[in-house]
Amino acid sequence: MQLIPTILCGGAGSRLWPVSRELHPKPFIRLNDGVSFLQKAFIRGALLPNVKEILTVTNRELYFKTQDEYKEVNQLGLHTSYILEPFGKNTAAAIASSALYVANNHSPDAVMLILPADHLINNQEVFQRAVEKAVESALAGKLVAFGIQPTSPETGYGYIEVNSEAELDHILYGFVEKPSKDIAEAYLASGRYLWNSGMFCFTAGSVLEHMKQYCPTILEATKACFDDSVTHHSEQTSQLQLDPASFAKIHDDSFDYAVMEPASLAFLGRSASSSLAVVPCPTTLGWSDIGSWSALGDLSTPDAQGNRVDGPAALHDTKGCYVQSRDRLIGLVGVENLIVVDTPDALLVVDKSRAQDVKHLYATLKADGHDTHKLHRTVHRPWGTYTVLEEGFRFKIKRIEVKPGACLSLQMHHHRSEHWIVVSGMASVTNGNIQQLITTNQSTYIPAGNKHRLENPGLVTLVMIEVQSGEYLGEDDIIRFEDNYGRIQETA
């Protein structure tokens, strides 16, 4: 039996803005232990028996960032495979493409374990026992959902209605979207509803058969896209870049709506035998999807006044607040039940009772085209990072870090010139027809219109300051001629 954990890494995490951004979504948020949601999902799957490969479905813009996350925690040296989407298409397309990949590269009988990248599970032993039960049902041809025993009338989660007459064969009756408070209380009292965890287990062949029956247009469009796409293999990793034109033709729908819900309705109408099962997971699993700042704050230990603090803060006559800051000191006086989250370029202050409404703020910023919905001041690139230190009229100052052995693209800018000053390490610089090495405390000047390239030939990280000047300093003023990361004809 082959078990292939399949991590779905997408979404904006809009309710966790300003730490979560479009190109730094919720799975990449680091928790108090220094480990990100995504890394925890990887470790969770890697520790299961019979796992030799982790498959991840993510946006192609997040590929190198995801690779870096995995390298930090892949202690077992597992093979990592990636399906790279050009843009989001919801979970039905993601699961269809991953099932096609597994069936083609392994076997239709291989068991897939679908894991959202942005959830927490605190008890690996309980998780493994639940997976073992799910695998047993999956090998019998069923699509298995993981339900969580509810402890409160939570309105931020979806629910699963189950038949619990047979302890070892829970039948899934139906899915319910996030309910009102009154309905959630009724669900809790009935004992027939579980929280929908978003985790699933099935064989690749079984889920493809179900998709053929219940959402054939999604499956056919995904197959066409799959056939138009190219897979690259290496010893340690594989990547399938989905063709953008074909991918755009796939209908946007969730796996719950496209497959699980119609399959449950078919069973209730007795037009089919039940092909769906549920593994009820106890509260000892320690599951949470951390869907708001209020939930994330609850991971911290409160003080005597119920305040939870992550970072430098000074509080006076303050109760029930959550404060997160990485750099600046946050001072609060005479306030209650506030969430305060500080980042270098954005500050969030919200009443705890309105934590779910942060998503509306994110939507407004995105509609207005404000950079803070998409990027942090520190931006990750395949070769390293850059941090915007200051910008103003006709100038921008960046701190650039280049990984050992990495290089930027051979490129040119129409509207800006650049001054490079090496702070530490060594830079190999192509500047027009000149090739030179620049070491600590040395600098060079790149005029607008010059082809240029920056490379780190050393064994330590190259750190440098870049001062841009010109009439236009946008990241889209770039023409790439050569690139090691397949980004030619794309903006930075």
Side-chain angles (χ1 to χ4, degrees), residues 57-74:
V57 184
T58 190
N59 188 288
R60 63 180 181 179
E61 293 285 345
L62 301 175
Y63 170 56
F64 295 101
K65 193 180 181 76
T66 303
Q67 271 196 320
D68 290 342
E69 292 280 301
Y70 288 171
K71 286 176 183 176
E72 291 183 17
V73 296
N74 190 6

Side-chain angles (χ1 to χ4, degrees), residues 370-383:
H370 200 286
D371 283 348
T372 53
H373 94 274
K374 187 172 186 178
L375 299 168
H376 282 279
R377 283 198 171 176
T378 296
V379 177
H380 291 260
R381 288 291 183 250
W383 43 262

Side-chain angles (χ1 to χ4, degrees), residues 251-266:
H251 179 63
D252 187 322
D253 204 353
S254 72
F255 183 71
D256 288 358
Y257 276 132
V259 179
M260 300 297 281
E261 189 169 287
S264 66
L265 291 174

